[in-house]
Amino acid sequence: MKSNYAIGIDLGTSTSEICIYKNNEPLPIPDPMTKIPIIPSIVAINERGKLLVGETARGIVDRKGFGVRESKREMGTETVFSLREQVYRPEEIAALILRKLKENAEEALGHPIQDVVISVPANFPDAARKATFNAGEIAGLNVLRLLNEPTAAALAFGINNIASEEQLVVFDFGGGTLDISVLEMFEGVLDVKSSFGDPCLGGKDFDAVMISLLLQKFAAQYPEVAVENRETELKGQAEQAKKTLSIEQS
């Protein structure tokens, strides 16, 4: 079925989103469960063997052998994930997340969707890009093209400021990567001059550093107390600390 709008997907390391662009306006599609457009990029299998994707997987994703987080970093590699004796490749995990987004969009729009554009990190290697195309195919989608994430943000700004003549630097600080693009705007032309990123400098890496710092400080203050297997709990505290520091005035 043809539509008069474009469909884009941000398949993120930590969270993912699907959005349509219609009547010169982006419209993110919410998850029916949470009513918000962002879903966690997590997959798990419960005790009954049912696959859970997104928010429904949150309660068990960190149980060893039951779930997987941040699989995007393994796209294009030979890594496999074992979930309750079932083995999944990274693109198969990605396909489950894409299918969840597809279902959310189809429920909201009232008809099937197929053609999409997916954003990827600026320096995603060729193998990871091919795996992303494969994930889309497994999910029943036709991936028209892959677009670098900071480039997508730069173009979105440029479209809404087409009369401007300037150079822009766009940072995309994601859960798994930190990307940057330089965009030049002149006489209605948007030219991406350069785009690059670091695949191991995202939010999860800051979380890991904060968790390590918390453990070091606790050990220094309470050397007689052993702390083991608390990383999952500390990750939640690290994430909350980041949010608090982002909004508090110094």
Side-chain angles (χ1 to χ4, degrees):
M1 177 177 180
K2 297 294 183 180
S3 63
N4 63 341
Y5 47 76
I7 300 176
I9 292 177
D10 176 17
L11 180 61
T13 304
S14 300
T15 59
S16 297
E17 182 178 14
I18 187 167
C19 181
I20 65 171
Y21 189 80
K22 183 178 182 181
N23 299 328
N24 298 319
E25 183 181 8
L27 300 171
I29 297 174
D31 180 32
M33 177 181 176
T34 63
K35 309 304 180 185
I36 60 175
I38 296 173
I39 71 167
S41 299
I42 55 178
V43 173
I45 298 181
N46 66 14
E47 296 282 2
R48 299 186 298 277
K50 181 180 179 181
L51 272 168
L52 305 174
V53 181
E55 196 63 37
T56 58
R58 191 182 292 277
I60 61 173
V61 66
D62 293 315
R63 290 177 60 185
K64 187 175 181 179
F66 279 75
V68 57
R69 289 179 180 269
E70 299 157 353
S71 60
K72 178 178 174 179
R73 282 192 162 177
E74 306 301 329
M75 292 288 278
T77 71
E78 298 299 320
T79 300
V80 294
F81 303 101
S82 296
L83 303 183
R84 300 206 66 205
E85 301 180 354
Q86 298 186 50
V87 177
Y88 294 87
R89 301 189 311 275
E91 58 264 42
E92 291 176 315
I93 297 295
L96 292 170
I97 297 168
L98 289 172
R99 187 175 295 128
K100 169 63 174 172
L101 293 170
K102 179 178 186 288
E103 291 170 353
N104 287 354
E106 290 176 341
E107 181 175 334
L109 300 173
H111 61 76
I113 66 168
Q114 188 173 26
D115 296 338
V116 299
V117 172
I118 299 178
S119 62
V120 295
N123 66 337
F124 229 26
D126 289 342
R129 292 174 185 268
K130 186 176 187 301
T132 304
F133 272 109
N134 292 341
E137 183 177 350
I138 295 170
L141 295 167
N142 177 36
V143 182
L144 299 175
R145 68 176 298 174
L146 302 179
L147 185 64
N148 286 351
E149 290 162 357
T151 300
L155 291 174
F157 176 86
I159 289 172
N160 290 324
N161 298 271
I162 199 67
S164 299
E165 295 187 4
E166 56 186 313
Q167 288 189 334
L168 304 169
V169 177
V170 179
F171 288 92
D172 177 11
F173 198 170
T177 60
L178 175 59
D179 290 340
I180 183 174
S181 280
V182 177
L183 176 74
E184 185 174 39
M185 303 172 59
F186 181 73
E187 294 183 349
V189 176
L190 309 177
D191 185 16
V192 178
K193 309 300 289 186
S194 63
S195 187
F196 195 68
D198 188 329
C200 295
L201 192 59
K204 76 177 296 289
D205 301 291
F206 278 69
D207 291 344
V209 172
M210 291 184 71
I211 290 169
S212 177
L213 179 62
L214 290 170
L215 289 172
Q216 290 175 23
K217 285 183 173 293
F218 186 87
Q221 189 169 355
Y222 304 100
E224 72 283 0
V225 179
V227 179
E228 297 179 354
N229 302 320
R230 303 299 294 271
E231 283 78 7
T232 298
E233 181 181 346
L234 287 172
K235 180 175 176 61
Q237 296 299 319
E239 290 176 346
Q240 185 57 49
K242 286 193 307 184
K243 294 175 183 177
T244 301
L245 290 170
S246 297
I247 60 176
E248 276 196 351
Q249 298 294 322
S250 57

